Amino acid sequence: MPDSKTVVKSGSEKSISPAVIKRLPRYYRYLGDLLKNNVVRISSKELSQRMNVTASQIRQDLNNFGGFGQQGYGYNVEYLYNEMGKILGLDKTNNIIIVGAGNLGQALANNQDFDSNGFKIIGLFDVNPRLIGMTVRGVEVYDIDMLETFLKEHEVMIAALTLPKSKATKVAEQLVDLGIKALWNFAPVDLHFPEEILVENVHLAESIMTLSYRIHSHNQ
Amino acid sequence: MPDSKTVVKSGSEKSISPAVIKRLPRYYRYLGDLLKNNVVRISSKELSQRMNVTASQIRQDLNNFGGFGQQGYGYNVEYLYNEMGKILGLDKTNNIIIVGAGNLGQALANNQDFDSNGFKIIGLFDVNPRLIGMTVRGVEVYDIDMLETFLKEHEVMIAALTLPKSKATKVAEQLVDLGIKALWNFAPVDLHFPEEILVENVHLAESIMTLSYRIHSHNQ
């Protein structure tokens, strides 16, 4: 297993801040919408107005990856969309498994946004005999005991964890032992792994509590 | 409708940064876990080790709300948990409606974490006749045409939007027209409202793209 500290990265990507990285998918979404509306090119000023960020931020963000704009022309929408997709790794097929085939797991499996972005859900896993054997948009729900065999036979980039808090940590450890390097965690628990294991959390309870805070501090 | 700029806020809450606010639910979660394990008090050092943040950050974050710690004693877990709950508005009942009763809407309605934190889902809404009339954990799915009547009869704090991108903006505008002040938006679209309308986004596609970026920039 490579130590992430010694992984050779390209010079341009080494120092990119998490804040910039978090903004990239939003650029990609806006560019996709422009492309759908047959917009061929766009100035950083116009893009900034649509996205409600400053034109200078857009230029700075994109300069992390080499720029892409031309003075007096702006950005070529299709080119920038494709380049942004490559930066995000969306030009590759990212196979995903979903561990936990309840409503949330099924909601992810049913989400067609993922397909069009190179994410391919290839299996769901659960302990519940009533769920095992059913299919969600053509993807089968397997017995969680099949994980090891499945992972030997398939190259899986990402495991989504849509299971109860009480089970998430143990299953995550099992997945990492079986070679999974990236976890998309929906359980309300923090997973602790060496830094070469990538964890992206979607903490729904924390999101709504933040909203509740804003509501009630607003009303005071 | 009050203008948010003129809303009187308590002095202590006026200047709290979004970064601090985002960390509050995580404190609340850790304190809840400690409480369940019958921990009576905890030092900021020990809490910081568990949470993997610095003790000084914990003290600084909590000082925004008046501190709560005692020199040489640490924090009383139950007291801090309850105070944190009040700060987050969880001591009040926050009625929620979910607009979009597909898998994701149903997953939210089925999530028991929300109940225990003062969030009460009181209705789901959809356009799909096959969903209208069914119940999810005892909560009925209503015809979306019933929204106006329902909102006249119930005090709703938050509307969750779990519907397709193509419909989200229009429905959000309708909800705001009907008096909703806080939107929990799961649709992959940015909603634009005056700042007194609070919007908290959960952009799942952006979350997984961020993970994909990290995977592929790691592997280079």
Side-chain angles (χ1 to χ4, degrees):
Chain A
M1 197 180 286
D3 178 344
S4 69
K5 283 175 186 158
T6 62
V7 167
V8 179
K9 298 182 186 177
S10 71
S12 64
E13 297 195 23
K14 210 168 198 169
S15 58
I16 294 166
S17 80
V20 175
I21 295 166
K22 276 206 176 300
R23 286 195 289 268
L24 297 180
R26 191 161 171 261
Y27 289 117
Y28 187 73
R29 171 158 58 87
Y30 272 82
L31 290 163
D33 288 345
L34 289 168
L35 201 57
K36 265 183 215 141
N37 291 319
N38 302 312
V39 177
V40 174
R41 67 174 183 172
I42 192 163
S43 66
S44 58
K45 190 182 165 193
E46 201 186 329
L47 187 57
S48 82
Q49 285 165 346
R50 281 175 184 259
M51 293 189 64
N52 204 21
V53 294
T54 65
S56 123
Q57 176 160 84
I58 293 178
R59 281 191 297 266
Q60 274 176 37
D61 284 351
L62 297 184
N63 275 340
N64 282 300
F65 304 95
F68 310 115
Q70 282 174 45
Q71 195 80 40
Y73 177 87
Y75 298 105
N76 177 307
V77 172
E78 185 173 5
Y79 176 73
L80 185 53
Y81 176 77
N82 288 334
E83 290 301 307
M84 194 62 67
K86 286 181 205 165
I87 291 167
L88 289 167
L90 308 178
D91 55 332
K92 304 174 179 82
T93 298
N94 288 295
N95 285 342
I96 301 179
I97 58 167
I98 296 173
V99 186
N103 284 113
L104 186 54
Q106 290 183 37
L108 295 184
N110 272 313
N111 191 324
Q112 299 180 23
D113 280 351
F114 299 144
D115 300 353
S116 49
N117 290 316
F119 298 105
K120 193 176 170 197
I121 293 161
I122 61 168
L124 292 105
F125 292 85
D126 211 288
V127 291
N128 187 339
R130 280 188 302 158
L131 297 175
I132 295 165
M134 67 177 259
T135 58
V136 182
R137 273 214 312 151
V139 181
E140 189 166 346
V141 181
Y142 300 97
D143 190 319
I144 202 165
D145 288 341
M146 295 294 293
L147 262 180
E148 185 167 358
T149 313
F150 190 92
L151 290 175
K152 276 184 191 150
E153 290 169 359
H154 299 84
E155 194 191 13
V156 173
M157 281 309 238
I158 296 171
L161 294 172
T162 49
L163 31 70
K165 181 178 182 169
S166 58
K167 293 178 186 168
T169 303
K170 198 171 150 253
V171 171
E173 285 167 357
Q174 188 192 355
L175 287 162
V176 169
D177 285 344
L178 294 173
I180 290 289
K181 299 276 193 297
L183 296 163
W184 196 25
N185 174 42
F186 288 78
V189 66
D190 293 327
L191 302 173
H192 301 289
F193 289 108
E195 62 175 318
E196 68 266 23
I197 305 301
L198 304 172
V199 179
E200 190 72 27
N201 294 302
V202 180
H203 285 323
L204 296 178
E206 298 190 11
S207 168
I208 198 167
M209 284 183 195
T210 305
L211 184 55
S212 170
Y213 170 84
R214 293 168 63 203
I215 292 168
H216 296 287
S217 67
H218 233 74
N219 288 342
Q220 274 168 358
Chain B
M1 198 181 289
D3 177 342
S4 68
K5 283 175 189 162
T6 63
V7 168
V8 179
K9 297 182 187 178
S10 70
S12 64
E13 298 195 25
K14 209 168 200 169
S15 57
I16 294 167
S17 80
V20 175
I21 295 166
K22 277 206 175 299
R23 285 195 290 269
L24 298 180
R26 192 161 171 261
Y27 289 118
Y28 187 73
R29 171 158 59 86
Y30 271 82
L31 290 162
D33 288 343
L34 290 168
L35 201 57
K36 266 183 214 144
N37 291 318
N38 301 309
V39 177
V40 174
R41 69 174 179 172
I42 192 164
S43 66
S44 58
K45 191 182 164 193
E46 200 186 329
L47 186 59
S48 81
Q49 285 165 344
R50 280 176 184 259
M51 294 189 62
N52 204 20
V53 295
T54 66
S56 122
Q57 176 161 83
I58 292 179
R59 282 191 298 267
Q60 275 177 37
D61 283 351
L62 298 183
N63 276 340
N64 282 301
F65 304 96
F68 309 114
Q70 281 173 45
Q71 195 80 38
Y73 176 88
Y75 298 106
N76 178 306
V77 172
E78 186 173 3
Y79 176 73
L80 184 52
Y81 177 78
N82 290 332
E83 289 303 306
M84 195 62 65
K86 286 181 205 165
I87 290 167
L88 289 167
L90 308 179
D91 55 331
K92 304 171 178 85
T93 298
N94 287 296
N95 285 342
I96 301 180
I97 58 167
I98 296 173
V99 187
N103 285 111
L104 186 55
Q106 292 184 35
L108 295 183
N110 271 314
N111 191 326
Q112 299 181 22
D113 280 352
F114 299 144
D115 300 352
S116 50
N117 290 317
F119 298 105
K120 194 175 168 198
I121 293 160
I122 61 170
L124 292 106
F125 293 85
D126 211 289
V127 290
N128 186 340
R130 282 187 300 157
L131 297 175
I132 295 163
M134 67 176 261
T135 59
V136 182
R137 276 214 309 151
V139 181
E140 189 166 344
V141 181
Y142 300 97
D143 190 318
I144 204 165
D145 289 342
M146 296 294 292
L147 262 179
E148 184 165 359
T149 313
F150 190 93
L151 290 175
K152 276 184 188 147
E153 290 169 0
H154 299 84
E155 194 191 11
V156 173
M157 281 308 236
I158 297 170
L161 295 172
T162 47
L163 31 70
K165 179 176 183 170
S166 58
K167 294 177 183 168
T169 304
K170 198 170 151 252
V171 171
E173 284 167 0
Q174 188 191 356
L175 287 163
V176 169
D177 285 344
L178 294 171
I180 290 288
K181 299 276 193 296
L183 296 163
W184 195 26
N185 175 41
F186 287 77
V189 65
D190 294 326
L191 303 173
H192 301 288
F193 290 108
E195 60 176 320
E196 68 267 21
I197 306 301
L198 305 172
V199 179
E200 188 75 25
N201 294 302
V202 180
H203 286 323
L204 295 179
E206 297 190 11
S207 168
I208 198 167
M209 284 183 197
T210 304
L211 185 55
S212 170
Y213 170 83
R214 292 168 64 205
I215 292 168
H216 295 288
S217 68
H218 234 71
N219 288 342
Q220 272 168 1

